[in-house]
């Protein structure tokens, strides 16, 4: 298993976070690179990295679908493109927040505390103090918070998939109510996802 260099774990550089959007996708990917194989949080770093890629692909695909369905500059075009761009920016913003949290997360300390806790549970001599147990609880809470943000992003990506399929397969005139419901769902999920800061 490949491990990140010692100096790259924890205390890394924080990415710039705009009020409306996240950092550039390449910067997010670069910030996540050191954590992709770290025990305990590597799966989260990989999930975030995959979400950045998926968001870029979905935005490009949805933009093409919207342009194909509605004349550029029309109200429908603007309405759909705005929802897509807002969802994309929200996902990138959440991914930036996650990358910053991972860079502030002390992976080695977490791994040490996890090992000590496991050893104590197996009856070995290693002792976990109250302070260590509290630090481990705080770290587990931080991981649970990361999981919530990852799940919020997944819901947004799913709604973009549904909207894309609906627009590509069914004409807007035939199913306007369904597409408007999907737009509202995307807007609601986007608003909810912004609370994960």
């Amino acid at each position: 298993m490949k491990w990140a260099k010692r100096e790259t774990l924890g205390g890394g550089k924080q990415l710039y976070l705009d009020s409306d959007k996240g950092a550039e996708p390449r910067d997010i990917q670069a910030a996540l690179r050191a954590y992709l194989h770290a025990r305990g949080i590597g799966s989260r770093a990989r999930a975030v990295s995959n979400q950045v890629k998926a968001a870029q692909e979905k935005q490009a695909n949805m933009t093409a679908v919207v342009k194909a369905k509605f004349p550029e500059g029309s109200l429908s075009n603007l309405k759909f493109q705005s929802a897509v761009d807002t969802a994309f920016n929200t996902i990138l913003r959440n991914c930036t927040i996650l990358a910053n949290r991972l860079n502030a997360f002390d992976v080695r300390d977490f791994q040490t505390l996890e090992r000590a806790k496991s050893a104590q549970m197996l009856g070995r001599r290693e002792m976990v103090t109250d302070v260590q147990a509290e630090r481990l609880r705080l770290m587990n809470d931080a991981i649970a918070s990361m999981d919530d943000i990852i799940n919020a992003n997944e819901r947004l990506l799913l709604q973009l998939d549904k909207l894309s399929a609906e627009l590509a397969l069914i004409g807007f005139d035939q199913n306007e109510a369904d597409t408007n419901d999907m737009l509202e769902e995307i807007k609601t999920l986007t608003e909810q996802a912004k609370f994960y800061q």
Side-chain angles (χ1 to χ4, degrees):
M1 178 176 271
K2 182 180 172 185
W3 293 93
K5 293 179 183 176
R6 184 172 180 82
E7 66 272 7
T8 62
L9 292 176
K13 179 182 168 193
Q14 295 290 295
L15 297 172
Y16 174 72
L17 186 61
D18 187 282
S19 62
D20 294 325
K21 61 182 183 175
E24 289 296 318
R26 69 179 176 278
D27 295 335
I28 298 170
Q29 297 288 19
L32 294 169
R33 201 165 290 124
Y35 300 93
L36 295 175
H37 301 287
R39 195 178 72 223
I41 62 167
S43 61
R44 280 126 184 130
R46 288 188 299 277
V48 175
S49 179
N50 290 337
Q51 287 179 343
V52 170
K53 291 176 197 168
Q56 288 178 288
E57 290 169 5
K58 287 181 194 327
Q59 186 198 33
N61 291 342
M62 283 296 299
T63 298
V65 170
V66 169
K67 282 182 180 178
K69 288 289 179 183
F70 312 109
E72 202 158 333
S74 70
L75 287 177
S76 295
N77 179 293
L78 295 173
K79 179 170 76 169
F80 281 92
Q81 193 59 52
S82 173
V84 169
D85 291 343
T86 301
F88 174 73
N89 288 334
T90 299
I91 292 167
L92 284 188
R93 186 170 173 25
N94 287 346
C95 289
T96 303
I97 290 167
L98 287 164
N100 284 342
R101 286 186 182 180
L102 285 168
N103 274 312
F105 194 84
D106 191 336
V107 177
R108 286 181 305 283
D109 193 32
F110 177 72
Q111 293 168 347
T112 300
L113 290 170
E114 281 283 300
R115 278 193 300 275
K117 181 181 174 190
S118 295
Q120 184 179 7
M121 290 171 66
L122 295 172
R124 296 192 184 128
R125 293 185 185 248
E126 284 192 57
M127 195 84 170
V128 178
T129 66
D130 290 343
V131 173
Q132 289 173 321
E134 180 66 15
R135 280 190 11 238
L136 184 58
R137 186 190 66 73
L138 287 172
M139 289 178 175
N140 283 324
D141 288 348
I143 288 173
S145 172
M146 290 181 211
D147 289 344
D148 288 343
I149 297 171
I150 290 169
N151 290 333
N153 279 351
E154 286 300 322
R155 285 190 292 276
L156 269 173
L157 290 167
L158 175 63
Q159 280 306 114
L160 287 174
D161 283 339
K162 287 180 179 179
L163 183 60
S164 178
E166 190 71 26
L167 284 176
L169 299 176
I170 300 173
F172 182 71
D173 294 336
Q174 296 172 342
N175 211 352
E176 186 175 352
D178 286 347
T179 54
N180 283 332
D181 287 346
M182 285 183 209
L183 276 181
E184 287 306 313
E185 180 69 17
I186 288 172
K187 289 177 185 174
T188 301
L189 288 171
T190 300
E191 288 303 314
Q192 290 172 352
K194 287 181 182 179
F195 292 115
Y196 295 109
Q197 299 176 26

